[in-house]
Structure formats: C-alpha cells, structure tokens
Amino acid sequence: MKKYLLSTISIFSLFLTFSQNVEFKSANFKDDKDGLKQATDAIKSGDDYFTIANEAIFMVQSPGLNYELALKQYNVAQKFNPNNGELNYKIGVCYANSPYAQKSIQYLKKAYELDPTCDPFLNFYYGYALQLDGKFSEAIKSYEAFEEGYRKADNFNKFVSKRKKECSDAKAAMESPIRAWVDNVSELNSEFNDFAPSISTDGGEIIYTSDRPNGHTPNEAGSFDKDIYSSSLNNSKWDKPSSLKGGVNSTTDDVSNNISYDGTKLLLHRDVDGKSDIFESTLKGANWSTPEPLPFQISSKNANEVYAAYSEDGWSIYFGRDNDNRSNGFDIMYSSMQSKIQKNFMAAQMISSINSKFNEGPVYITIDGETMYIASEGSGSLGGYDIFVSKKAQGTWSKPENMGYPINTPYDDFFFSSTANGKYAYISSNRDGGQGGYDIYKVTFWGEPKPPELATEDYLLASIVNPIKDNSIEATVDVNKKSFTVFKGVTIDHITKKPVEAEIEITDNATGKLIETFTTNSATGKFIITLASGKNYGIAVKATGYLFHSENFDIPQGAADNLVNKVIELKNIAIGSTIALRNIFFDTGKSTLRSESNAELDRLVKLMKDVPGLKIEISGHTDNTGSASLNASLSQDRAQAVVNYVQSKGVAGNRMTAKGYGSSKPIATNNTSDGRQQNRRTEFEIKAN
Amino acid sequence: MIRTKQIIIVSLFFLGFQASAQLDELTPEEQAYRDSITALNLENEAIANSQEAYNSGIKSFQAKKFNEAIAHFSKSIQFDPNFTAAYYNKGIAENESEKYNDATKTFTQLIVLKPTYSKAFFQRGRSYQGLNDYLNAEKDYETSIKLDNENPKAYYNYGTLRFLQNDFDGAINYFTQSIKLDGTNPNSYNDRGSSYRMKGDYPKAIADYEEALKKNPNLAFVLNNIGTTKSKMKDYTGALAAFNRAISIDANFHLAYNNRGVVQMNQNRIDDAIKDFSKALEINSNYSPAATNLSGAYFKKKDYKKALEFGNKAVAMDKTNGSAFVNRGNAKEMLRDMIGACEDWSKAKELGSELGKNYYSSNCAN
C-alpha cells in the first residue's frame, strides 16, 4: 500500500516538476481572502510551536507536543495551499521529528521541487528524506550541499556529520545484512504508535505500550494518552491485545519498560509533576497492582527517567536519565540495592562506556547478565535510534556495536526484548511498510549457519554384501532296496514222499555267487532260510542214493506274503533200495490194476524214464491168509501187471523183472489186520542204476 | 461217472489238503520267523524310501528350489527319524530360505541324535543369528568351537556377532582366530578392519582393508570402507582415490558415489557433490542418504525450494532417517515455516540426531 502510495507520489512529483511555488500572498488568492487569512494565521501559530520544537531538537531534548501542535496548524494552511515550498518543508520537518517520519518524505521532496531555497535547513532535511528513502549517495550530496551553505559557528555540524556517517554506514549495512528476519506483528499493531514491547521469558506473553484510542480525552494535538496493553500467544498467533489488568493504566501516559524474568514485576514510567519517573507494579493473581514510584535515587525530581530494566540478578535497575544542563540527551544509568528486603538503592551511576553525545535508551539485559541491548541515536547508528549490543567483559561493558540491517534502518529502531533462548526478540520501529507510526516487530535470528547433516553409508561387515555361506550339504546315498523272502521247503522221496536229508546249495544266478549251503532236516526234510527278493536263484540238491536235482526259481520282489514254499522231490537211485508202492490197488483176488493206481504207476514210469540206467525188480507180496501157492501166483501176476503197465508207457521191458514172493517176505506181523495190510504190497528194488 | 466224480472230489480234497497243508505247514516258530522277516522288509522299505526322498531333496536343493528340498527332507525324516544327514540338509535348506525358526528346531532335533556334531551347532548358531538372537547364536558357536576348534567360519561368525553388539575387542579376537585358520578369506580382514575403525584406530583399519583387497582386489565395498575411513582421517585426497577405485570396479555402487559426494561437500565443491549424489539416486532411486545429501547441498547453495524438495523425498524414502529431517528442517526454516522446521528437528532428535537435538533446543524451545 505504502509502495503504491510512494509510486503515486513519485509520478505526482514528476508532474509537479513543472509546478510552481505558490506564496501565501493575497495576489495569489484574490478570490479567497478569508481563506488566506485563516491559513496565514494558522502558519503563524504553527511557527510558534515549530520554533520551540526545533530548539529542543538542537539541544537533543524532547520537543514535547510542539511538532504535533505545529503540524495541526500547518495542515490547515496546507489544505488551503498545498503548493507552498516552505510550508511543505515545515510539515516535512514536523513529520521527520515524529514517529511518522515516513510521511515526511513526500513533503520534503515537494518542498525541494517547489522551492529549494525556501529554508536554509532544507538541504539538511531533504537529505534526511533521501536517507529515509534509502538513497544514501544522494542524501550525502544533500548534506554536503547543506554544509557548504551553513556558515553558523554552532553545534549543528555534529548533526550533519552524524547524518553523513549514518548514510555511509547504512549503505554498508544493507550490503551485508545480518542473519535475521524482521517481521511486522500485525496482530499487535495499529495505525497509531505501538512500542516498548516486553516479552515474558517463555515467549508466551507480551506487554507493550500504545497510544491508540482508549476512551480517554485526547490531548490538544488530538493524540490519546499512552496505555499499557498485553496479549498472549495462541497457536503461534497473538490474541487481540487488551488493556493491562489491574490498576496500572491511568488517564496520563503509562509507558511499559521491562517485565522481570519471573514475570511478576513490571517497570514502567509515567509523568509526575512534569517529569518522567520510573514506577514498579507487581502481579497479584491476574491483576497488576497500582504502580509505586522507585526511590529518588532512580526516580528523581529534577530529571526525566525513562525505560528502566531489571538487571539479571535483580539487584540493580538500569534506566535512562536526561540532564537539563547537558546536551547529551538521555544517558544510561544504573542504581543497585544494598538490601533486597529494604530495597535501599544507592546513587545512580552512569555507564560511560556505552553512552554517547546523543540519546540512549531503552536498555535490556539478557537473563545471563552477559549482554546488554541498548538503543542509541549516537555514533554508529544508521539513522534515528538504532539497537546496539554490548558484552560484559571483566566487569565492564564493551563499546556498543550496531546490530546491523535489517534490525536497524535509517528510521527509529529501538527497544529489544528477547525470549530466553535468544531465537526471537521484539523491537519497535517506524520503518516504512508498517501500519503507521511505531510498530512492534518480531526479529527471528537465523543463528549460526546450520551445516546440513550429511549421510554416508558403509558395508562395514562383509557378510552384509558378501555373505559367506557355509551351505554345503551332506552327499547323496545309495538306495538299497532290500527285501527278503522266506524260502521254505522240504526234500522228499519222489515215490514215497518220505523226507530225505539232502544238501542244498543256493546260487544267485545273476552273479553266480553261492549264497547259501545247508542240509535239510534229517527227520523232516524241512528247511527254512531267507533270501533277498527280486532275484533268480539256482538250487542244487544232493542226497546219497538219490538222483542230483537242480532247478532255478524266482524269489519275486515284494511278494505279498513274502514266502515261497518248495517241495523238492528226490529220485531214489541206490542199488538194493526197496521202495514200496503204496498207492497201487488191485481188484480183490485179482491182478487187475485199478485206475487209482495210475498216479503211482506214472511216478514209477517217470523215474524209469528220468534215470535211463535204472533197472528194477518189481515184486508182489501177500499176507499169509489163503493158499501159499495161490498167494505166490497172485503176487507174481500182480508184479507182472505193474511191469506190463510201465512197459506200456514206453519203458523197455528188459529193464524190469516181475517176481511174486507170496507171503514169504512179510514186513509186518500177519497176526493183525494192520500187519496183514502192510504185508499186502507191491515193491520195487533198484538192481542197477 | 460216479468214479470220476469221486476221483475229482478226492483230488480236490487232496489239493485242498495240500493247499491248507501249505499254510498249516508254518509252525508257530516258522510264523514268528516269517513275521520278523516281514518286519525287516518294512523297515528296509522305509529306509529306502527315506533315502530316495533324501536324494530328491538334494536335487531340489542344487536347483535352489529350497521349499521343495525341505519337503523332500521332511519326508525322508518321516520314513527314517534317525537319518541325521536328512536333518542336516533340511536345516541348511531352511537357513537358505531364511526360515530360521524352523531351522533352529531342525538342528535341535539333529543335536539330540548327534550331540557332538560340531557342524550342527555351527549351523544352529547361524539360524539364531538370522533371528538376531545373538545370545543363543554365541552359545552355539562356542560349543561348535569347543567340539571343533579348527573351523574358521565359526570364529568368523562369532566375531560378527561381537561386532554387532559393539564388542569390538572381542570381534577383533575372533576375526584374528579366523584369519589364523584361514588366511585367504578377505571378509575376515575387512571385518577386523571395520572393528579397528569402530575403535577409532584408523591406520590399523586401513591396513586390514588393504589386506582384504590383496585377497580379492575386486571388492568395491572394501574400497568404499577405505574411502570413508580416510575421510575420517581427513585424508580427503586418499578418500577420493578410494571411492574412484570402488566406482571403477563397480560402476553401479551407489554407496561410493554418495560417499564421494560427501567428501566433495567437505571440500566445498558443491556442484561436484550434487553430481555424485544425483548419480547415486539415479542408480538407486530409493536411496534416502543421497536424497538427504542433495537437500543439504542445495541448502548450502541457498536454493531452499530444492532443498525442501529433496528433503521431502528423503523422508518419504526412509522415515527413520534423522539426517533427512535435519536438512528438511533447515530448508523449512529458510522458507519461513518455523513450525515445520521445529517439527522436523524434533523428529530428528527423536531419531538420535545430535544436530537435530541442537537445532531444536537452540531454535524451538523457549
């Protein structure tokens, strides 16, 4: 908004280059003589105040309300005739020496354009306008032009030299800004003056002073008395400020100075009998008590004391005091207590190392007592009040150093109240861009440069990237599918079926290896062994008097009942062996063979055929019943019948003889039916093999 | 006719008699004998099945089909619960597929069957290590070493555990033992070097890293370790040389690019650093350290928007990266988001960043 205004003014100024200075003469206002009279009267009234104010400024003293009162009058005339160079100059000077310094720029520039010779001090103030506007080189030229023209041997040169230095310092400062942001705290500010901030240690409460409308009667200049306000921080925003609770604010100026570190006491200043004194109020619950003046060592009758601050240890009060006899403006003093209970302050002392020839104050001491922030118009300022910092070293305060731009500007920048961690501070300034007059600003210090945190990564352990795997496993195995089968059997005589003790050899036919050799049971002819399944075996059977027997057989894999049973029939071939043919049957009393004899007879045939060299005698036998001769012939016939049968089956007759023995060769007793049954038999005897 | 029938009946009877006589032929002793053979056959069949399943498991393992292998070995064990090789291989397969819990159980069963089998203890130690159960892992490695004190791998793994528990002297001891038994393993030298490094003995660390490289000159990660160690010794020239070698061996070793970038930052060659960090991110688009460092580099160049952009990326990639929060906080502060900056430094502090803690306490606490 302000920038827009300035641009408009600039364009307007350009237009006005061609404007002429209009004097307050009747020749120029023939049609409005009354208006002219009113205007010139106003100017005269204004001039009275203007002169007083200028003298005070020259003496580095407060101009009081005089510029404001002069301005009130000048504005009446300005409304009538805005194109008078001198009037514009005077209005510019009034604003330049007020909190609304920014407003002076347009008037001073206009004055310069309308009538550069309207006042001997125009170059001085025009230079100031340029300085405020940041045009430092041009400002210096203007100041130098003023020096050229100003020949009086008075103290005024100190102001000019000061201003020139301010310009060069400001130029350098703006080229190297410090590491901070300065932001207008819009929630706290108004178009009026808002200043003297004091922040609680935790940064959550602020107390400050404002001359915004407060319902009291304004003074003759139309301004309201200063009151103290407070606000709380809520979600990083300040609440709407309210008048300090309790009995602090009066109908006259009450200006906040400094809140104690524990937040329970407040220093302020107010006028007493035309002089400003330091007061103290105490927080009781939610209300501040009616302020009490500090003792005379601080609040003297003959001087003005303003802007006090507590020392960090609570033993001293720092404050600003002016002196009517000297023209150094306000200086910083301090007074210490002898006893905190009695609060008996000693005489105030000046701190020469921090005071200058111009105004000092307000002052602020950090909670650790090591740093003092002090506002000063003195040497090193960039213009108006600036905030300086002084460090305590070996019990003395160092020469204050300007805090730099953007904290300080060519405008008034003063007050300093910081949070405990020093990250933020609150100041006041009437710099361009505010809401009007002095405003509260928040300083955010960037702090020391913040090096970034850089991340590196290593694979410190090789196993992360190059894992050693001991993952060798045990080797494969040969699968042995062993299964066994019980091989059971019996060796018997082929004809008689009687057990024969025999020697058996079992061979694995695949490998030719002899697996087992054993003898069958002599009584039963039985054997039982275990053989590996899934093979073909050869079995060789030997028995004395018997034909050698061999065959091969399979032991199948996975036989359900894992049992193989073999009946091995051996053929008797021993000479002299007699074998009974128990399964040969004849019709009773006859030699006719019954058919049920065939199986036995066929076995005999097989034996004869299997053993081609076998020669046998087939004999018939009876029991002793009946005639001996009949028995003899019957037995002979029966034997012959057998021979005939076997011969009929292809066995050569010359290998067999038939003989009937009748009852001559019993094998059992004839006295029993059993015995007789046994004696009735047919036999064969091996004669040759 | 009748006779034939009779004969048939008799024959049949005879045959039947013969047949039943066969069954009846088994005396009780013979029956018992036969039963014992049947039992033996069943046992042999089970063992054969176990062995077949075991061999199938090995085939699957060699084809890296570990789950399949585990199934086969399990089957093998079912058939023959005393087949120790099957337990061993099953456990190895479980370790390979990171089923460490199962592996510990398998090896425990094996140890019951074979209580002095040092390899079983070693492998179970590996399984516990996979579960980050260092206590039990160490017990097993100790036992393994007691049973067989010539296994360099047992000492090596034990050393690794000591390292992970910040007992660097212990780690050095075990790595040294491992080296004595097997001086060809570059890992042992590297890890011992890292142990020295953690103790701050950088020259010894470098010496061991160099030994590791003698065993295998193509280990980029060892060169990377040399680089960061030399950085700590402020031998930035040496550090750069090491990173350059690492990159020449493995052009995609993003760690080396990132670490080299950090050295560039220390030498104030910000643009070169940015190139290296960007390359690291190109190789591994989810590499939070590189994004973090880019945030820091742009911050130094006062490009706070880019610093914030990379800070956001770094945090998104890894929410436990304290440095990312520090750098993003720095960017946020300069972009006038003090609340955001304080949140980030607070988070960085939570994650253990000293810088974050400092920035928070000096800028945010009242």
Side-chain angles (χ1 to χ4, degrees):
Chain A
M1 176 64 188
K2 299 282 175 190
K3 276 187 189 165
Y4 171 77
L5 187 63
L6 271 167
S7 311
T8 312
I9 290 167
S10 306
I11 293 163
F12 195 57
S13 306
L14 257 170
F15 182 77
L16 281 178
T17 311
F18 304 101
S19 302
Q20 279 193 321
N21 185 39
V22 179
E23 298 284 354
F24 285 92
K25 286 179 177 162
S26 48
N28 293 330
F29 298 100
K30 290 175 186 162
D31 299 333
D32 190 356
K33 289 191 175 132
D34 288 340
L36 177 64
K37 177 137 191 340
Q38 207 178 16
T40 49
D41 286 346
I43 290 171
K44 272 194 195 123
S45 298
D47 283 348
D48 291 338
Y49 295 119
F50 191 68
T51 306
I52 297 167
N54 283 341
E55 279 167 8
I57 289 296
F58 185 76
M59 292 302 293
V60 195
Q61 281 168 1
S62 169
L65 289 176
N66 289 295
Y67 279 122
E68 286 167 271
L69 293 167
L71 192 58
K72 207 172 167 188
Q73 300 301 321
Y74 290 147
N75 278 334
V76 170
Q78 181 74 358
K79 206 171 167 189
F80 180 74
N81 172 18
N83 293 315
N84 179 265
E86 192 184 2
L87 182 61
N88 275 283
Y89 161 76
K90 286 173 180 172
I91 292 172
V93 171
C94 289
Y95 278 125
N97 290 298
S98 80
Y100 303 92
Q102 198 277 332
K103 288 184 178 177
S104 72
I105 297 172
Q106 56 175 321
Y107 292 101
L108 292 166
K109 281 189 176 172
K110 192 172 177 186
Y112 193 83
E113 279 150 17
L114 288 170
D115 183 4
T117 61
C118 65
D119 191 281
F121 285 88
L122 177 56
N123 273 326
F124 176 77
Y125 275 102
Y126 181 58
Y128 185 56
L130 291 166
Q131 183 181 348
L132 289 178
D133 209 18
K135 296 184 169 80
F136 302 115
S137 303
E138 289 172 51
I140 289 173
K141 279 186 186 146
S142 197
Y143 287 131
E144 283 168 349
F146 170 76
E147 275 177 325
E148 275 287 302
Y150 192 76
R151 296 276 179 238
K152 274 194 188 168
D154 58 17
N155 248 344
F156 200 76
N157 274 315
K158 76 175 181 187
F159 293 103
V160 190
S161 309
K162 184 174 179 299
R163 289 277 165 89
K164 276 161 57 182
K165 185 163 187 304
E166 284 167 5
C167 285
S168 39
D169 286 349
K171 200 171 173 203
M174 282 182 169
E175 281 165 9
S176 310
I178 66 154
R179 294 168 56 79
W181 292 299
V182 179
D183 303 300
N184 189 288
V185 188
S186 56
E187 312 98 271
L188 301 175
N189 293 323
S190 65
E191 62 186 280
F192 301 92
N193 293 304
D194 309 287
F195 60 104
S198 196
I199 191 99
S200 61
T201 311
D202 65 0
E205 302 283 328
I206 193 167
I207 288 175
Y208 67 104
T209 302
S210 178
D211 63 3
R212 61 187 68 187
N214 58 6
H216 299 161
T217 310
N219 62 19
E220 43 188 328
S223 307
F224 291 89
D225 63 288
K226 299 172 181 71
D227 271 351
I228 300 175
Y229 292 81
S230 71
S231 174
S232 303
L233 196 61
N234 231 324
N235 288 331
S236 308
K237 283 245 169 238
W238 292 101
D239 290 340
K240 188 162 175 244
S242 56
S243 180
L244 199 66
K245 287 194 174 72
V248 172
N249 286 325
S250 65
T251 52
T252 57
D253 285 344
D254 307 287
V255 179
S256 56
N257 290 182
N258 181 237
I259 191 168
S260 63
Y261 301 107
D262 63 6
T264 61
K265 294 182 290 184
L266 177 69
L267 290 169
L268 57 132
H269 71 251
R270 47 158 72 144
D271 271 3
V272 176
D273 300 328
K275 290 286 180 192
S276 180
D277 279 340
I278 308 294
F279 284 70
E280 188 180 51
S281 171
T282 312
L283 184 65
K284 292 186 193 305
N287 294 321
W288 290 91
S289 67
T290 304
E292 294 288 329
L294 290 187
F296 71 91
Q297 290 90 345
I298 296 169
S299 295
S300 71
K301 271 191 184 167
N302 301 323
N304 291 306
E305 285 84 29
V306 294
Y307 299 123
Y310 293 104
S311 67
E312 78 288 359
D313 58 8
W315 283 95
S316 307
I317 303 280
Y318 290 81
F319 58 95
R321 176 182 279 167
D322 71 355
N323 193 324
D324 278 343
N325 300 325
R326 294 185 294 129
S327 59
N328 282 357
F330 280 91
D331 285 328
I332 302 299
M333 320 277 288
Y334 74 95
S335 170
S336 305
M337 284 184 268
Q338 284 179 304
S339 154
K340 272 192 178 174
I341 299 162
Q342 289 168 21
K343 293 199 180 177
N344 43 358
F345 284 92
M346 297 188 281
Q349 313 263 342
M350 189 141 46
I351 308 171
S352 49
S353 58
I354 61 169
N355 287 316
S356 74
K357 284 192 264 183
F358 297 91
N359 284 316
E360 267 74 44
V363 69
Y364 172 81
I365 315 287
T366 53
I367 199 168
D368 62 3
E370 297 295 312
T371 309
M372 181 197 292
Y373 294 92
I374 164 173
S376 173
E377 283 182 321
S379 178
S381 160
L382 309 183
Y385 277 100
D386 271 2
I387 304 170
F388 290 74
V389 60
S390 171
K391 297 275 182 191
K392 204 170 199 178
Q394 281 127 24
T396 52
W397 292 101
S398 65
K399 182 168 179 282
E401 297 215 358
N402 193 297
M403 288 192 80
Y405 176 82
I407 291 178
N408 293 320
T409 66
Y411 289 87
D412 285 331
D413 312 287
F414 48 2
F415 300 97
F416 189 94
S417 181
S418 79
T419 55
N421 67 1
K423 175 75 176 171
Y424 304 102
Y426 289 84
I427 66 170
S428 286
S429 175
N430 62 342
R431 63 186 67 188
D432 192 19
Q435 292 188 36
Y438 293 125
D439 274 358
I440 310 283
Y441 284 82
K442 179 181 177 184
V443 179
T444 304
F445 291 101
W446 296 3
E448 289 299 313
K450 292 184 176 69
E453 195 159 272
L454 299 175
T456 59
E457 192 180 353
D458 305 294
Y459 293 146
L460 289 178
L461 288 179
S463 45
I464 295 167
V465 66
N466 195 26
I468 290 175
K469 292 190 175 199
D470 187 9
N471 58 355
S472 51
I473 51 175
E474 303 284 6
T476 53
V477 293
D478 294 326
V479 182
N480 236 327
K481 278 199 168 173
K482 269 191 215 161
S483 116
F484 296 99
T485 302
V486 176
F487 177 47
K488 160 182 183 357
V490 64
T491 47
I492 55 170
D493 186 291
H494 169 68
I495 302 292
T496 64
K497 308 298 176 204
K498 283 206 173 121
V500 175
E501 182 185 305
E503 276 171 29
I504 297 186
E505 284 179 355
I506 311 280
T507 308
D508 181 341
N509 279 339
T511 63
K513 263 190 170 169
L514 183 65
I515 303 293
E516 292 273 2
T517 134
F518 56 89
T519 306
T520 62
N521 188 286
S522 55
T524 63
K526 281 184 177 176
F527 64 88
I528 183 164
I529 60 164
T530 309
L531 291 174
S533 315
K535 287 175 184 281
N536 180 270
Y537 293 96
I539 184 165
V541 186
K542 281 190 289 192
T544 311
Y546 282 85
L547 189 66
F548 173 77
H549 176 91
S550 87
E551 63 178 288
N552 71 74
F553 62 98
D554 285 323
I555 300 285
Q557 183 77 22
D561 55 3
N562 73 329
L563 174 73
V564 166
N565 201 350
K566 210 161 200 23
V567 178
I568 301 168
E569 291 182 1
L570 297 172
K571 299 182 174 68
N572 194 340
I573 55 162
I575 295 171
S577 292
T578 307
I579 298 105
L581 294 163
R582 290 282 174 201
N583 296 304
I584 289 179
F585 305 100
F586 296 97
D587 288 340
T588 309
K590 290 183 180 167
S591 61
T592 318
L593 281 164
R594 294 184 37 177
S595 61
E596 50 266 42
S597 310
N598 291 351
E600 187 94 319
L601 289 166
D602 286 339
R603 283 196 281 275
L604 180 59
V605 167
K606 190 170 187 309
L607 178 64
M608 291 304 289
K609 282 182 176 176
D610 285 347
V611 191
L614 208 64
K615 286 183 177 163
I616 60 173
E617 180 192 89
I618 294 173
S619 57
H621 301 268
T622 63
D623 61 21
N624 66 352
T625 50
S627 148
S629 61
L630 276 172
N631 285 339
S633 75
L634 181 62
S635 62
Q636 177 66 43
D637 289 344
R638 282 182 171 177
Q640 190 60 57
V642 172
V643 168
N644 291 343
Y645 180 90
V646 176
Q647 194 173 348
S648 76
K649 293 291 181 178
V651 176
N654 62 356
R655 292 171 65 197
M656 296 176 285
T657 51
K659 190 125 178 141
Y661 286 96
S663 61
S664 64
K665 286 191 175 181
I667 56 169
T669 176
N670 278 310
N671 295 330
T672 64
S673 67
D674 266 343
R676 287 193 291 276
Q677 169 80 18
Q678 284 185 58
N679 288 333
R680 292 192 298 273
R681 66 191 188 278
T682 309
E683 290 179 346
F684 70 90
E685 186 185 334
I686 309 288
K687 289 299 192 186
N689 60 21
Chain B
M1 272 289 276
I2 296 167
R3 255 195 200 169
T4 316
K5 259 196 192 167
Q6 280 175 335
I7 289 162
I8 289 166
I9 288 164
V10 168
S11 302
L12 281 172
F13 175 76
F14 186 70
L15 276 168
F17 178 78
Q18 282 282 51
S20 63
Q22 286 218 338
L23 290 171
D24 288 341
E25 274 174 31
L26 289 177
T27 64
E29 291 79 16
E30 285 173 341
Q31 183 65 45
Y33 179 75
R34 182 191 165 179
D35 288 346
S36 75
I37 297 300
T38 307
L40 181 65
N41 282 346
L42 282 171
E43 198 183 307
N44 286 341
E45 191 183 357
I47 287 173
N49 287 340
S50 171
Q51 289 167 332
E52 274 174 354
Y54 170 83
N55 288 345
S56 299
I58 289 173
K59 240 186 183 167
S60 300
F61 185 96
Q62 283 160 346
K64 297 196 191 310
K65 293 175 182 170
F66 299 121
N67 285 335
E68 211 176 82
I70 290 167
H72 283 306
F73 292 132
S74 299
K75 197 168 154 194
S76 176
I77 288 165
Q78 258 182 313
F79 279 121
D80 181 4
N82 291 318
F83 194 5
T84 53
Y87 286 99
Y88 188 80
N89 289 1
K90 177 170 174 266
I92 300 285
E94 280 159 346
N95 271 345
E96 286 298 296
S97 37
E98 294 180 6
K99 291 179 174 165
Y100 296 119
N101 235 333
D102 292 344
T104 58
K105 289 182 183 142
T106 302
F107 288 121
T108 301
Q109 288 171 313
L110 174 57
I111 285 165
V112 166
L113 294 171
K114 237 174 154 180
T116 59
Y117 192 17
S118 81
K119 283 172 79 172
F121 283 101
F122 174 78
Q123 294 295 350
R124 193 173 68 174
R126 262 221 69 228
S127 312
Y128 279 125
Q129 193 168 344
L131 291 169
N132 293 329
D133 182 349
Y134 297 155
L135 195 60
N136 278 321
E138 284 189 350
K139 278 187 191 159
D140 275 346
Y141 288 138
E142 266 189 66
T143 310
S144 171
I145 288 168
K146 267 194 198 138
L147 291 168
D148 171 16
N149 64 356
E150 306 254 310
N151 179 6
K153 288 171 185 164
Y155 289 103
Y156 176 79
N157 283 6
Y158 203 157
T160 307
L161 287 179
R162 290 277 100 215
F163 184 101
L164 288 167
Q165 293 175 91
N166 293 340
D167 172 16
F168 302 115
D169 286 321
I172 287 167
N173 175 36
Y174 284 104
F175 290 136
T176 303
Q177 301 275 20
S178 181
I179 287 167
K180 274 190 189 150
L181 290 166
D182 176 13
T184 65
N185 180 6
N187 286 14
S188 305
Y189 286 102
N190 176 80
D191 291 11
R192 191 172 69 175
S194 294
S195 308
Y196 280 123
R197 170 170 149 162
M198 294 306 288
K199 277 168 58 85
D201 190 341
Y202 301 133
K204 277 204 169 122
I206 299 283
D208 266 344
Y209 289 142
E210 297 284 3
E211 269 309 311
L213 283 173
K214 279 187 191 152
K215 308 302 168 198
N216 182 349
N218 293 324
L219 295 175
F221 75 93
V222 178
L223 285 159
N224 182 65
N225 289 346
I226 289 174
T228 47
T229 308
K230 289 201 166 174
S231 251
K232 286 181 186 295
M233 296 162 83
K234 303 209 187 312
D235 173 8
Y236 297 120
T237 311
L240 282 173
F243 292 133
N244 289 341
R245 273 173 71 198
I247 288 166
S248 71
I249 286 169
D250 179 1
N252 285 326
F253 195 24
H254 57 284
L255 266 69
Y257 284 104
N258 181 67
N259 292 344
R260 189 172 73 178
V262 170
V263 173
Q264 305 283 32
M265 287 286 285
N266 290 338
Q267 306 276 274
N268 219 26
R269 292 193 284 267
I270 315 288
D271 290 327
D272 287 340
I274 286 175
K275 278 189 191 140
D276 272 342
F277 297 143
S278 302
K279 181 70 183 171
L281 210 53
E282 192 189 299
I283 294 167
N284 179 351
S285 61
N286 210 37
Y287 194 44
S288 187
T292 302
N293 294 343
L294 277 165
S295 176
Y298 280 114
F299 179 85
K300 287 214 90 172
K301 283 175 67 88
K302 299 193 189 340
D303 186 344
Y304 303 122
K305 278 194 173 152
K306 267 224 163 89
L308 178 67
E309 180 195 320
F310 281 104
N312 282 334
K313 279 188 179 155
V315 166
M317 287 171 193
D318 180 4
K319 290 183 171 40
T320 66
N321 183 354
S323 308
F325 283 100
V326 169
N327 295 352
R328 192 173 73 168
N330 290 358
K332 281 184 178 177
E333 182 188 23
M334 297 314 290
L335 291 169
R336 305 309 310 273
D337 175 11
M338 203 62 210
I339 295 174
C342 286
E343 280 171 357
D344 275 353
W345 291 326
S346 173
K347 184 70 187 174
K349 175 182 153 191
E350 249 177 70
L351 291 168
S353 165
E354 272 302 310
L355 215 49
K357 184 178 165 190
N358 289 345
Y359 292 162
Y360 181 79
S361 64
S362 54
N363 292 283
C364 305
N366 279 327

